[in-house]
Amino acid sequence: MTGAATKHMALAVCTGCDIGRCIDTDQLIDATGQAFQGITCIKHGSLCSPDGQAGLRRTVMEKKVDRLAVAACSPRVMTSAFEVDGLLVERVNLREQLAWVMEPGHEDTRMCAEDQVAMALSKLDAIRTNDPYIPDPVSSDILVVGGGITGLTSALEGARAGYRVHLVERSDRLGGYAGRIHKLLPENLDSASLKEPDLYKLVSEVTGHPGVEIHLETGIRSISGEPGNFEVVIENSQVSTLHIGAVVAATGWKPYAPDKLAALGYGSGRVKTLEEFEQYVQEEQLPNRIMFILCAGSRDEDHLAYCSTFCCGAALKQALYVREKNPGAEVYIVYRDIRTPGFQEGFYKMVQADDAIFMTRGVVEKVDDQGDSVAVTVSQSLLDDLVTIHADMVVLATGMVPNTTTDLQLQYRLGKGLPELEYNFSDSHFICFPYETRRTGIYAAGTVRAPMDMEMSREDGAGAMMKAIQSIECVKRGEAVHPRSGDTTWTELYMERCTDCKRCTEECPFGSYDETEKGTPLPNPARCRRCGICVGSCPERVIGFADFNINSVSAMIKAVSMPDEFEEKPRILVFVCENDAYPALDAAGMNRLKFNPFIRIIPVRCLGSINKVWVSDALSHGYDGILQIGCKPGDNYQCHFIQGSELNEKRGENLQETLETMMLEPERIRTRFVEITDHHGIMAIINEYMEEIDLIGPNPFKSM
Amino acid sequence: MDNPIFIIGGGISGITAAVELAEAGRQVVLIEKEDYLGGNVSNFNNYFPKLCPPSCGLEINFRRIRSNPRISFYTGSEIQSICGSDGDYRVTINVKPRLINNNCTSCGKCAEACPVERPGIPGGKSVEKAAWIKNGLAFPMKYTIDPDVCKREECGKCLTVCDYDAIQLDAQQAGVELQAHKIIVATGWNLYDPAKIENYRYREEADVVTNLEFEKMLAACTRENQKLSRPSDGRLPLRVAFIQCAGSRDMNHLPYCSAVCCSASVKHALTLEAGYPEIESEIFYIDLRLSGRNEKLLKVTEGKERITLTKGKVGRILPSGKENGVLLEVEDIDNGTKRQELFDLAVLAMGLTPAPVAAGLKENEYGFYVAGQLSGIIPTATCKRPMDVSSSVKDATASAIKAMQG
């Protein structure tokens, strides 16, 4: 390669950390100089040292370098040492993935080093920088949907942080379910009496804050646009439009449908749900014998499989209501497990100490309204084999069911609300990133996201507002949010070749693509997480990023010199996802596990970003196998872009047919999954794959 | 321009608060007392309910820290004092002697040459040197020298092999004064001391371990690619007992419930079941507290023959009278009997206590820090109350917005 491009390219080779002991770096520089005529090459014993960095920056300035390959340690270390403003830098991992793990002085190690350097330089030639994408106009206002305890808290926190918040509530009052409770648990256990509800304080702080504009009896007609630039049409007595930067969806919960609990006696006037009893206690006289049945329709495959978290505490509190309002009353509680975690335990002890409250573990077999009382038959109790208790009233501690978020009326091609995951909760399914819903700039909070009590809901609302603010600040800088935080590239499409197949639109986990009236994909770059799944999905290869696109990866693939089949030096292309698989490879290197020298590694943003043209490029270039390693898919997925791994695997199945028509063995293309901590496992995956390829022999197209 | 927001504690909560604030445009300074970021969870084997590795999320957060110029952090550092008031604090931190500086490239030659050993973690590498690195995914990726065991200039072998001027054996403790706009306290938790429960003979029995020790043993197995072995004789424990509420919900020890231990033990039992066809587990509980969607872990245990859930309090661990073996005395609530059972390994599900920090925060009756008492100093996550990882991340995110107010 030669010419104008290479004149401004440079290669810096570090000989430290055993790199210089493992390969002849002079030979590497020579070989690179021949392949890339005109390139500037430098070498240093410790590039990351102050002296090394100074020398590097001097060279960059003197030679007017705009593209630099740094052949040294992993890009995951010494990151800021090699970041230079305005310079495109590509790191070549000659340490963790070469010098520490391959045989020093061996010809195969030399060839690997030369190839990885050539790949980096070819990539540098094919990429460029871009101006960041910033929506115009951009809004820093935040929409909170739902005026219950979560939405109220969210709105107040946002306003206190200096942002303007629009709070939209469907009904005519603020407070939701939390606004209708009778009493609260005492502050501390020294006080025996229950507290008066204090939500009115929160409501008055919100209504009094100049930063919050409240819209009651208001629904959402539509939300369109992208983070930083959402157009929200709301409707009450009139229709108006808000310009919004981010959204917090706090649309709450509803009680589990009690009519499904006929087996527990619901339908009789004497059998009530938690919510019904909460109102009853405020309005009516209480009878003398009340039984609480916990986990009514919860932890039950036939009803709600999950635990609703709040109900044990709520039911015990209601038991205390009874004792307070009717001191002569007796309370019975039948439970499976009492779930009062944390400091609620003290409150449980208080209830246990009450002489008139009887608690037993048990399974309710039958609830029978006998006219003058309700007979509850309990088995597996701690009292006796089968016991029947007659109560005047039965309260079923029913669970919570999340509301849907389709009321957001998102004008997204992929649907009106947030995707509902397990048990219909609009959650992220990430333990470490609970707020990262699949719609950028739109965050779920409170009981719509997960079962929780009032205290947890307040914290959740505050956290979601933080994420909303953050997404706005990131979009104002033209940066992506988690997990590719700080990325300023964005999807660029060459529409001339687009055939409107819409695979990009359907496969994007985040709903970034809408459709024009003609049915052509319409990207919304601020919704994008820069995963590149659309790059991988497009059969016409229309989509790319300035620094990661069809050409840049093809160039890397073709930069590898291909020995002919008689040299018995196979070439395996290994695509590794940068999130879990690449760090696992580095960890293998840190632990000095042995790498096969025939592999050529290309990191990708996600396994889903791999386009099949790269596979055919690789096969026609002579690679004997293409191994793709990424994060685990499935119910407990670890894929940071939700379905990239899964898509790659599915696309692989389609590729098998192509392989068959080309009379190529199915082993030539493989997808494997690995956890980040499994550095032994990732080496086993590679070594097993090499054995598979060994058995089937070289790629028959190799010398063509 | 406001002073930076100061975060005490570099575990999952502190790290989360740091990245969320920095990406929202704020300057952040984070201090961590250990030599590496990650805190307690970075020593875990996996999380419930997904049984996924903590490093997965930590790695993304480390990447976010690496690439964000608004975050600076100090490892090996603790708070000495905080003066000032909301919006204008002066924080003094103690940086412990840093025998390896930022020139370190993690080449590992110092550890190879180092002749001094330090106690390794149970079940991990049996020999760890005074010069060491946490693991292959450590952050920062630098070696460190334990100043308590290093022989310093008397030895100096590491100096002869380091090519990068990274070692300073005469390094001293340093004090640094920083200004802060707000302070987030994310100092996390320690376990309640198992030795305080005399009935469980923690000190006497080699094969009675805490839930945290068991977590580290499993993590070491994953990392070193080796099998679980019990402390006394290194053999595979075929029967493992999990003793829930060990010193929790107990007026003599911790009166409160630590919220996570039931889920953690079920997670351990499922991890063993999946990885070891020979191992049987029994969990002795009072109430099975897997709240919310963690409930499904219980569903997963159904039908697993090698996992038994027994409602019963383990009152005592008795001397077994054998060379190895842990003898449990169980009050079996379902059968209404007291029985004795022999196990190869017993895991005490110990509760969480807040790690102490000198930040002037008010404590509640359980010793946890109370939020909202000092307007500029914000306690978050497990130093406020016991909670799981997802809740800690959520709370840390909530603390971030509070740090942006006023």
Side-chain angles (χ1 to χ4, degrees):
Chain A
M1 210 185 112
T2 187
T6 49
K7 228 170 48 165
H8 294 290
M9 284 169 94
L11 168 67
V13 180
C14 184
T15 58
C17 293
D18 285 339
I19 294 174
R21 280 188 210 118
C22 182
I23 54 171
D24 182 340
T25 47
D26 287 324
Q27 193 178 37
L28 173 65
I29 287 175
D30 265 341
T32 307
Q34 285 181 27
F36 296 86
Q37 305 258 342
I39 190 177
T40 304
C41 293
I42 65 169
K43 174 170 109 150
H44 194 282
S46 167
L47 260 182
C48 58
S49 67
D51 187 57
Q53 288 187 51
L56 184 58
R57 279 163 173 75
R58 223 175 12 246
T59 305
V60 163
M61 247 182 31
E62 282 168 15
K63 302 284 182 168
K64 300 196 185 26
V65 174
D66 61 13
R67 280 142 218 275
L68 171 68
V70 175
C73 46
S74 166
R76 290 170 59 250
V77 295
M78 299 302 180
T79 314
S80 47
F82 302 115
E83 274 169 355
V84 183
D85 265 336
L87 190 64
L88 279 169
V89 179
E90 186 66 14
R91 301 279 299 267
V92 187
N93 192 334
L94 290 191
R95 191 184 73 161
E96 286 87 333
Q97 294 180 13
L98 195 129
W100 284 356
V101 293
M102 295 186 187
E103 208 174 311
H106 198 283
E107 178 188 50
D108 289 331
T109 309
R110 171 187 64 79
M111 293 172 88
C112 184
E114 281 171 20
D115 280 341
Q116 296 281 163
V117 168
M119 288 161 87
L121 291 169
S122 304
K123 172 180 170 180
L124 279 169
D125 186 50
I127 62 175
R128 57 182 167 71
T129 54
N130 61 238
D131 288 327
Y133 173 88
I134 299 173
D136 181 30
V138 103
S139 166
S140 296
D141 291 357
I142 299 160
L143 172 70
V144 175
V145 184
I149 191 170
T150 306
L152 285 166
T153 307
S154 203
L156 186 60
E157 299 289 0
R160 282 187 177 152
Y163 289 80
R164 208 155 59 130
V165 180
H166 288 272
L167 176 60
V168 166
E169 162 58 36
R170 187 168 44 192
S171 76
D172 62 354
R173 42 206 286 276
L174 298 170
Y177 279 103
R180 300 205 278 277
I181 56 168
H182 174 54
K183 292 266 173 86
L184 291 173
L185 291 179
E187 277 289 329
N188 55 54
L189 298 170
D190 292 333
S191 144
S193 57
L194 298 166
K195 256 177 44 172
E196 290 300 315
D198 60 5
L199 195 73
Y200 67 91
K201 288 190 201 155
L202 175 60
V203 172
S204 82
E205 280 186 285
V206 172
T207 49
H209 201 296
V212 184
E213 196 173 320
I214 300 174
H215 310 260
L216 291 177
E217 289 180 291
T218 303
I220 298 179
R221 258 221 189 152
S222 67
I223 298 181
S224 50
E226 54 184 349
N229 193 9
F230 285 115
E231 189 186 83
V232 178
V233 179
I234 57 172
E235 181 172 19
N236 36 44
S237 51
Q238 61 196 36
V239 175
S240 44
T241 304
L242 305 172
H243 188 216
I244 293 289
V247 181
V248 173
T251 44
W253 61 284
K254 50 184 178 287
Y256 180 62
D259 50 302
K260 298 214 171 92
L261 298 174
L264 288 177
Y266 192 81
S268 145
R270 291 177 180 274
V271 177
K272 305 212 174 290
T273 65
L274 275 181
E275 291 71 42
E276 288 166 350
F277 191 69
E278 193 79 28
Q279 297 315 304
Y280 189 86
V281 131
Q282 295 177 59
E283 291 154 15
E284 310 279 356
Q285 293 275 51
L286 294 181
N288 289 329
R289 229 189 213 198
I290 301 185
M291 161 160 299
F292 287 84
I293 299 176
L294 303 194
C295 291
S298 289
R299 301 178 62 187
D300 185 339
E301 290 294 305
D302 294 329
H303 298 281
L304 301 179
Y306 54 92
C307 157
S308 286
T309 306
F310 83 104
C311 357
C312 279
L316 294 186
K317 187 177 62 160
Q318 289 186 343
L320 290 181
Y321 290 170
V322 176
R323 298 285 294 124
E324 198 180 65
K325 276 202 103 175
N326 186 356
E330 281 176 349
V331 179
Y332 291 82
I333 303 179
V334 179
Y335 64 87
R336 283 175 59 181
D337 293 283
I338 293 286
R339 290 180 171 176
T340 48
F343 307 144
Q344 284 180 38
E345 179 65 21
F347 165 60
Y348 173 35
K349 286 204 165 43
M350 195 168 110
V351 170
Q352 277 179 310
D354 189 320
D355 283 336
I357 302 182
F358 305 98
M359 305 184 68
T360 177
R361 200 277 311 270
V363 172
V364 172
E365 298 289 347
K366 210 164 73 149
V367 178
D368 189 15
D369 187 345
Q370 296 176 340
D372 61 343
S373 70
V374 185
V376 181
T377 308
V378 179
S379 69
Q380 294 181 45
S381 77
L382 305 173
L383 309 168
D384 223 327
D385 276 338
L386 209 65
V387 77
T388 300
I389 301 167
H390 291 264
D392 300 312
M393 183 170 282
V394 170
V395 181
L396 304 177
T398 38
M400 59 169 51
V401 169
N403 283 330
T404 176
T405 52
T406 51
D407 290 341
L408 290 177
Q409 297 294 330
L410 297 177
Q411 301 303 299
Y412 281 33
R413 170 65 167 63
L414 284 194
K416 294 211 158 72
L418 297 170
E420 285 169 19
L421 304 187
E422 207 174 44
Y423 311 131
N424 299 123
F425 285 95
S426 299
D427 202 351
S428 74
H429 202 44
F430 288 124
I431 293 168
C432 308
F433 309 106
Y435 293 112
E436 300 299 348
T437 62
R438 299 178 186 186
R439 297 289 177 263
T440 308
I442 303 176
Y443 299 96
T447 48
V448 75
R449 184 176 81 71
M452 57 179 79
D453 62 25
M454 289 189 288
E455 182 181 18
M456 294 158 78
S457 294
R458 297 202 60 165
E459 288 161 0
D460 214 44
M465 177 54 69
M466 179 68 207
K467 295 298 287 182
I469 289 171
Q470 182 196 77
S471 71
I472 289 171
E473 296 303 327
C474 287
V475 100
K476 277 155 70 173
R477 295 190 301 261
E479 290 175 11
V481 295
H482 166 102
R484 288 189 59 87
S485 308
D487 188 353
T488 50
T489 63
W490 40 277
T491 44
E492 297 170 350
L493 280 71
Y494 294 98
M495 297 309 288
E496 293 80 28
R497 279 211 312 272
C498 173
T499 60
D500 295 344
C501 76
K502 252 86 82 177
R503 249 169 256 183
C504 54
T505 309
E506 283 156 17
E507 292 184 357
C508 173
F510 309 105
S512 293
Y513 290 89
D514 290 334
E515 268 173 51
T516 64
E517 273 147 20
K518 297 196 193 127
T520 310
L522 185 64
N524 293 276
R527 295 186 200 168
C528 174
R529 301 279 177 90
R530 284 61 167 186
C531 62
I533 285 177
C534 52
V535 175
S537 73
C538 181
E540 294 302 316
R541 308 175 300 282
V542 150
I543 310 175
F545 297 88
D547 69 353
F548 178 77
N549 54 57
I550 301 291
N551 291 339
S552 70
V553 176
S554 290
M556 291 174 87
I557 291 170
K558 293 170 188 163
V560 168
S561 345
M562 198 54 64
D564 68 42
E565 76 260 36
F566 302 108
E567 293 184 56
E568 292 191 1
K569 290 186 192 297
R571 288 291 177 260
I572 308 295
L573 182 61
V574 186
F575 286 111
V576 282
C577 120
E578 65 185 6
N579 300 308
D580 284 356
Y582 194 95
L585 278 181
D586 271 357
M590 281 293 290
N591 284 285
R592 308 300 194 275
L593 303 183
K594 291 265 159 281
F595 276 40
N596 189 298
F598 302 139
I599 61 176
R600 299 294 178 265
I601 294 168
I602 295 185
V604 291
R605 295 179 177 202
C606 177
L607 278 198
S609 68
I610 299 171
N611 191 292
K612 69 178 182 200
V613 76
W614 298 336
V615 174
S616 46
D617 277 353
L619 288 170
S620 48
H621 194 64
Y623 287 83
D624 303 285
I626 297 126
L627 179 60
Q628 303 157 100
I629 312 179
C631 318
K632 287 172 57 161
D635 282 341
N636 285 326
Y637 65 83
Q638 290 165 36
C639 175
H640 291 266
F641 298 111
I642 293 119
Q643 61 203 29
S645 298
E646 203 181 300
L647 282 168
N648 176 280
E649 206 177 29
K650 277 211 200 85
R651 291 177 196 155
E653 284 158 22
N654 297 337
L655 278 176
Q656 295 295 327
E657 291 172 22
T658 315
L659 284 176
E660 276 168 31
T661 56
M662 289 167 73
M663 309 268 272
L664 281 171
E665 302 86 338
E667 291 90 323
R668 303 260 177 223
I669 307 172
R670 276 275 186 262
T671 297
R672 288 279 179 265
F673 305 116
V674 79
E675 291 191 342
I676 192 175
T677 42
D678 202 2
H679 48 273
H680 294 279
I682 197 171
M683 298 319 297
I685 286 171
I686 294 175
N687 292 334
E688 277 160 27
Y689 188 66
M690 296 304 304
E691 280 170 28
E692 272 190 282
I693 297 299
D694 240 354
L695 281 176
I696 60 176
N699 179 345
F701 296 126
K702 201 185 269 286
S703 2
M704 295 180 177
Chain B
M1 188 63 216
D2 281 336
N3 284 322
I5 294 167
F6 200 88
I7 299 174
I8 309 175
I12 185 87
S13 305
I15 289 170
T16 297
V19 295
E20 303 299 358
L21 279 165
E23 285 168 17
R26 309 298 289 249
Q27 298 284 336
V28 172
V29 175
L30 177 89
I31 71 162
E32 162 57 41
K33 71 176 196 289
E34 303 292 338
D35 295 315
Y36 300 96
L37 297 191
N40 276 316
V41 302
S42 63
N43 295 322
F44 283 11
N45 184 51
N46 54 14
Y47 286 152
F48 57 79
K50 286 169 74 173
L51 305 189
C52 49
S55 296
C56 178
L58 283 174
E59 173 69 22
I60 296 288
N61 282 330
F62 293 155
R63 196 165 90 195
R64 289 161 83 184
I65 292 175
R66 268 202 302 268
S67 63
N68 200 316
R70 290 178 213 96
I71 304 177
S72 38
F73 63 93
Y74 295 77
T75 51
S77 302
E78 287 187 74
I79 286 282
Q80 187 171 323
S81 66
I82 300 175
C83 317
S85 57
D86 188 2
D88 190 18
Y89 292 103
R90 211 165 11 254
V91 184
T92 310
I93 64 175
N94 256 342
V95 182
K96 73 178 202 222
R98 202 179 281 288
L99 303 184
I100 295 185
N101 61 36
N102 258 355
N103 289 343
C104 174
T105 63
S106 62
C107 71
K109 296 251 178 358
C110 53
E112 260 179 60
C114 178
V116 179
E117 286 173 18
R118 66 199 282 275
I121 49 166
K125 273 204 272 273
S126 46
V127 172
E128 202 155 54
K129 307 285 195 68
W132 62 290
I133 192 166
K134 187 182 170 105
N135 57 38
L137 294 169
F139 184 81
M141 184 63 81
K142 307 270 177 204
Y143 273 72
T144 184
I145 293 176
D146 187 340
D148 296 331
V149 301
C150 171
K151 297 219 172 76
R152 311 271 192 142
E153 286 92 339
E154 250 181 62
C155 165
K157 291 211 166 63
C158 50
L159 274 173
T160 62
V161 297
C162 179
D163 292 329
Y164 305 108
D165 246 336
I167 303 184
Q168 293 168 243
L169 292 178
D170 59 355
Q172 299 297 316
Q173 188 169 281
V176 181
E177 209 179 74
L178 297 160
Q179 288 187 292
H181 180 63
K182 303 266 181 186
I183 300 174
I184 294 177
V185 179
T187 40
W189 54 273
N190 295 324
L191 280 190
Y192 184 66
D193 182 1
K196 291 203 170 117
I197 313 171
E198 284 169 17
N199 281 346
Y200 286 157
R201 296 171 50 80
Y202 174 75
R203 289 250 180 274
E204 290 89 336
E205 303 273 351
D207 294 327
V208 172
V209 299
T210 65
N211 40 7
L212 187 56
E213 284 169 338
F214 191 63
E215 190 74 56
K216 291 179 181 177
M217 286 161 73
L218 289 177
C221 292
T222 306
R223 205 168 51 242
E224 315 286 337
N225 205 24
Q226 66 195 28
K227 289 277 168 201
L228 182 66
S229 60
R230 62 178 183 179
S232 62
D233 59 7
R235 292 164 72 164
L236 188 73
L238 297 176
R239 295 195 71 212
V240 180
F242 293 91
I243 300 171
Q244 298 312 108
C245 296
S248 291
R249 303 177 65 184
D250 184 338
M251 294 314 293
N252 300 317
H253 299 283
L254 302 181
Y256 55 88
C257 159
S258 285
V260 301
C261 342
C262 282
S263 300
S265 291
V266 173
K267 172 197 80 165
H268 282 146
L270 287 169
T271 305
L272 289 176
E273 208 273 345
Y276 295 89
E278 321 93 318
I279 295 183
E280 288 176 358
S281 305
E282 190 162 359
I283 302 179
F284 297 97
Y285 68 91
I286 306 173
D287 290 286
L288 276 172
R289 291 187 167 175
L290 286 84
S291 301
R293 297 199 297 260
N294 290 337
E295 170 70 25
K296 75 169 179 212
L297 272 187
L298 277 183
K299 190 78 190 135
V300 175
T301 61
E302 265 173 45
K304 298 243 191 279
E305 282 169 22
R306 289 183 282 114
I307 300 180
T308 310
L309 305 175
T310 301
K311 188 170 173 85
K313 173 91 180 152
V314 173
R316 301 187 288 173
I317 291 177
L318 303 166
S320 65
K322 302 180 170 2
E323 207 179 297
N324 295 306
V326 184
L327 189 63
L328 268 55
E329 189 176 81
V330 184
E331 289 156 29
D332 189 330
I333 296 174
D334 274 329
N335 296 327
T337 58
K338 214 180 217 176
R339 56 184 165 94
Q340 291 185 358
E341 290 269 355
L342 195 64
F343 287 88
D344 298 312
L345 181 72
V347 180
L348 303 175
M350 303 300 304
L352 315 187
T353 60
V357 60
L361 285 168
K362 189 158 176 253
E363 293 174 22
N364 70 10
E365 62 207 287
Y366 305 117
F368 285 82
Y369 297 117
V370 180
Q373 293 290 321
L374 292 171
S375 60
I377 304 185
I378 305 157
T380 187
T382 47
C383 73
K384 260 181 9 184
R385 68 169 193 274
M387 57 177 80
D388 64 16
V389 174
S390 186
S391 308
S392 297
V393 171
K394 176 180 91 166
D395 201 64
T397 312
S399 75
I401 195 177
K402 291 186 166 44
M404 285 180 69
Q405 296 164 352

